[in-house]
Amino acid sequence: MQQDFRDSPLFRQQLYIAGSWVDAQSGKTLEVEDPATGKVIGTIPNAGAAETRQAIEAAHEAFKSFSRTTAGERAEMLRRLHQLILDNRDELAGILTLEQGKPLAEAKSEISMSAAYVLWFAEEARRVYGEIIPSPWRERRLLATRQPIGVVGAITPWNFPSSMLARKIAPALAAGCTIVCKPATQTPYSGLAWGELCARAGFPPGVVNVITGSAREIGGELTSNPLVRKITFTGSTEVGKVLLGQAAETVKKVSMELGGNAPFIVFDDADIDRAVQGGIDAKFRNTGQTCVCANRFYVQAGVYDTFVTRLSAAVERLRIGAGVEDGVELGPLIDADSVDKVEELLTDAVAKGGRVMTGGQRHPLGGNFFEPTVVADATSSMRFSREEIFGPLAPVFRFETEEEAIQLANDTEYGLACYFYTRDLGRAFRVSEALDYGIVGVNEGLVTTEVAPFGGVKESGMGREGSRHGIEDYLEMKYVCMGGLGFPVA
Ligand code: ADP
C-alpha cells in the first residue's frame, strides 16, 4: 500500500496568516487535482484581497522586530529550517509528486535543492557588509549600509512548487525581510508546507505568510499595497508584464524570473553521446516543464543525422508513468491545456514539413500524459521556434556555420538559459560570449545550483536568484553622512 501523504501534518489545507491557520473569509474553497489521475486530492481556501491585506499587515507588523534581529539569529533559524526540510524530505517529496506529477526521484531532488537554498542563505545572512567611504570632507564620515527592504510579496509557479519558493523565502528571511507568498493554484500544498516548516523553525508569527486563491485579486493587492516594498515573481512573461505594470504605481523593487526559449546547439566537433545525454536532461526533466528546458535543438549539418538518431533512441528508452511509481522518468503534464498546447505545436510543425522521429501523440495512459517526441527538419516558420513548448517535444533544426547558430539562437525576445556542445576551446569562449542569455551551459545540460546566479536577460526577466547576489534583491542601500563629529573643519 502506498503511503497517503495527505495524512502528513505538513499537508495543510488552510491559509497561514500571522502564525495561524485560517480559512478564506467567505469560507469558499477550490479543489486541487492530481495531474496523474485527475482525482481531487484536497481543497484550498479561495482567498482574495481581504486576506492578502491581513497577511501584508501581519508581515508589516512582524517586520518591526524581525528586521532588528541579528544576522546570527536569522542564520540560526534558517539552519533549523534547513534541517527540518531534510528531516521531512520524503513527506515533502510525496506531497510534491501528488500535486505536481513529477517522478518521486525528481521531487526528492527538488526538496534537497530547497534545503540547499536555505542553507546557502543562512550562510549569506552573515555576509551583508556595508562600507566606509573615504570622505571628501575632513570633518564628516560617510557610511553605506544595507538594510532589509521590508515586506516582500512572492508569487510562484507550479513547475517547481517547493524550490521556487525556497529561492525567495530564504534570501528574504536572511536579509531580515518578512514575506507574503502566493503559490500556484495547481500546486499549493508544497507552498503551504513552507508555513508549517517556518513555524516549526521558530520564525515569529507574521514573518512568513502563505495565501491561496484568486491570483488576480491576491496579485492585485500585493502589487498595489504600499506596505509591500518588493515583488518577486516566477512565472510567464505575460503575467510578469502585468505585475510589473501594477507594481509601477507604488514604485516597488521588482525581480522577475520569466519565460525562456532555450537553444541547445550541437557543433560538429561535439561529443555526441554527451550532447544526447545533456539534451535528454535539458529537454525532458520535469516532462519539459521548466523555464530552462531546451526549446530548440540546433545541430550542425555534419552531425545532424547521427544526433537525431541517437536522441530519438534515448527518448524511446524513457519510462513514462505516474510519478509515484518506481523507475518512472517522465510524469504527466500539469493539466489538459498543456497537453493541448503540445499537440497544437506538433500539428503545426508536421503541417509545415516536420518529421516525427519518435512519439507524436497522446500517451495510451490517457489524461495528461503525452509521448516524449522528437521532430526532425524543424524550421523557423514553425510555432515552437518562437513559443515556449513547456512539454516533452524536442524540435531539431539544422545549421551550417557558427555565425548562423549564434544568430538563430539569439533570434528571440527571451534570454534565460542556453546550451551548446563543442570540444573547441576557442569556440566555447566565442559562443558563450555571443549568446544573449543569463545562463550558459557549455557541454552541460543541467546547470542550476544554489551557489550560482540564476536569471535572465531581455524578456526573460530581471534580478538574480541564488549565489551571493541573490540576497541583493531584498536589500536597500542606505548612505549615512555623519557630521558634527568635532573634527576641525580646516
Ligand atoms: P504558468 O504558465 O507557469 O502557469 P503563470 O504566470 O500563469 O505561469 O503563473 C505563475 C503564477 O502567477 C501562479 O502563482 C499564478 O497563479 C500567478 N498569476 C497568474 N495570473 C496572475 C495575475 N493576474 N496576478 C497575479 N498573479 C497571477
Side-chain angles (χ1 to χ4, degrees):
M1 211 12 226
Q2 255 162 11
Q3 188 181 348
D4 190 343
F5 292 104
R6 288 175 295 180
D7 296 336
S8 164
L10 291 165
F11 185 83
R12 291 287 186 161
Q13 302 188 68
Q14 287 182 298
L15 312 169
Y16 186 62
I17 300 177
S20 299
W21 292 97
V22 295
D23 293 323
Q25 288 178 7
S26 66
K28 288 195 179 135
T29 57
L30 297 167
E31 290 182 340
V32 180
E33 286 177 8
D34 175 346
T37 61
K39 289 198 185 122
V40 173
I41 54 179
T43 63
I44 47 164
N46 188 0
E51 296 85 346
T52 311
R53 212 169 301 128
Q54 268 185 344
I56 293 169
E57 281 161 13
H60 179 66
E61 198 50 40
F63 182 72
K64 292 175 189 161
S65 50
F66 190 67
S67 58
R68 288 199 299 270
T69 53
T70 67
E73 287 165 338
R74 295 195 298 278
E76 184 62 32
M77 284 184 253
L78 283 164
R79 281 181 181 280
R80 281 205 296 272
L81 180 59
H82 168 252
Q83 194 55 49
L84 278 162
I85 297 170
L86 293 182
D87 291 347
N88 292 283
R89 192 170 85 126
D90 289 351
E91 280 181 38
L92 290 166
I95 292 170
L96 205 171
T97 290
L98 192 62
E99 64 181 356
Q100 204 276 341
K102 68 178 64 180
L104 261 179
E106 276 189 41
K108 282 183 191 164
S109 49
E110 179 176 342
I111 300 298
S112 299
M113 201 62 191
S114 293
Y117 276 102
V118 171
L119 182 59
W120 173 263
F121 284 109
E123 292 160 348
E124 286 304 295
R126 302 199 291 179
R127 300 193 227 297
V128 178
Y129 294 102
E131 51 191 41
I132 296 174
I133 299 161
S135 176
W137 297 286
R138 289 186 189 181
E139 76 289 7
R140 300 187 213 170
R141 294 296 174 264
L142 316 186
L143 326 176
T145 61
R146 289 186 298 163
Q147 297 188 325
I149 189 163
V151 176
V152 175
I155 301 177
T156 51
W158 48 262
N159 59 347
F160 290 92
S162 174
S163 66
M164 292 297 125
L165 272 170
R167 291 174 176 201
K168 302 178 186 318
I169 293 175
L173 297 180
C177 296
T178 56
I179 189 163
V180 178
C181 308
K182 192 207 88 66
T185 312
Q186 297 96 322
T187 57
Y189 298 119
S190 298
L192 290 165
W194 278 101
E196 176 65 20
L197 291 164
C198 289
R200 289 191 203 171
F203 288 98
V207 170
V208 176
N209 307 271
V210 189
I211 45 180
T212 59
S214 160
R216 200 174 294 271
E217 277 196 43
I218 296 170
E221 183 64 30
L222 285 175
T223 48
S224 64
N225 192 313
L227 296 179
V228 176
R229 291 316 318 151
K230 154 96 195 165
I231 292 290
T232 169
F233 172 74
T234 301
S236 62
T237 297
E238 189 191 350
V239 173
K241 286 179 183 178
V242 171
L243 296 175
L244 262 175
Q246 290 174 185
E249 196 58 39
T250 44
V251 194
K252 299 190 198 311
K253 188 157 166 167
V254 173
S255 35
M256 296 269 151
E257 296 289 350
L258 307 176
N261 179 5
F264 186 106
I265 308 169
V266 183
F267 288 101
D268 279 346
D269 59 54
D271 174 339
I272 300 299
D273 288 329
R274 192 175 173 85
V276 167
Q277 186 53 51
I280 294 283
D281 294 340
K283 175 73 242 181
F284 294 99
R285 187 169 60 115
N286 205 13
T287 318
Q289 304 170 110
T290 87
C291 47
V292 294
C293 270
N295 206 58
R296 301 168 287 154
F297 285 84
Y298 289 107
V299 182
Q300 202 159 10
V303 293
Y304 187 88
D305 292 335
T306 312
F307 181 81
V308 167
T309 308
R310 291 194 204 170
L311 181 71
S312 305
V315 167
E316 270 163 24
R317 287 194 294 272
L318 290 173
R319 229 188 108 202
I320 184 163
V324 288
E325 284 166 24
D326 278 346
V328 160
E329 293 160 291
L330 224 59
L333 287 164
I334 190 71
D335 54 26
D337 287 350
S338 302
V339 182
D340 290 346
K341 167 106 189 268
V342 173
E343 201 171 48
E344 270 174 38
L345 293 177
L346 186 60
T347 308
D348 166 76
V350 171
K352 292 170 182 162
R355 258 190 309 143
V356 176
M357 305 303 293
T358 181
Q361 45 198 328
R362 286 166 191 259
H363 195 275
L365 283 169
N368 299 330
F369 290 94
F370 199 91
E371 290 179 349
T373 300
V374 176
V375 175
D377 298 341
T379 66
S380 53
S381 69
M382 297 173 186
R383 275 177 56 191
F384 49 43
S385 73
R386 313 216 74 81
E387 293 177 42
E388 201 174 15
I389 301 168
F390 242 64
L393 166 57
V396 193
F397 303 72
R398 192 187 303 259
F399 72 91
E400 302 287 339
T401 66
E402 185 178 305
E403 294 66 36
E404 187 191 357
I406 292 167
Q407 188 268 322
L408 288 166
N410 287 340
D411 185 21
T412 167
E413 65 270 27
Y414 294 108
L416 187 55
C418 63
Y419 310 86
F420 67 95
Y421 282 68
T422 179
R423 280 188 280 214
D424 178 325
L425 183 61
R427 174 171 274 164
F429 276 92
R430 289 193 303 275
V431 177
S432 55
E433 287 180 21
L435 289 170
D436 296 332
Y437 288 81
I439 301 165
V440 185
V442 184
N443 300 323
E444 289 296 341
L446 292 178
V447 298
T448 307
T449 157
E450 74 282 6
V451 310
F454 185 103
V457 300
K458 294 159 78 178
E459 292 190 22
S460 287
M462 57 186 73
R464 292 294 179 272
E465 293 190 321
S467 83
R468 70 190 172 90
H469 305 287
I471 199 166
E472 295 293 337
D473 279 340
Y474 300 87
L475 297 165
E476 281 287 29
M477 188 160 279
K478 180 175 281 178
Y479 158 48
V480 183
C481 176
M482 310 271 287
L485 301 174
F487 289 106
V489 173

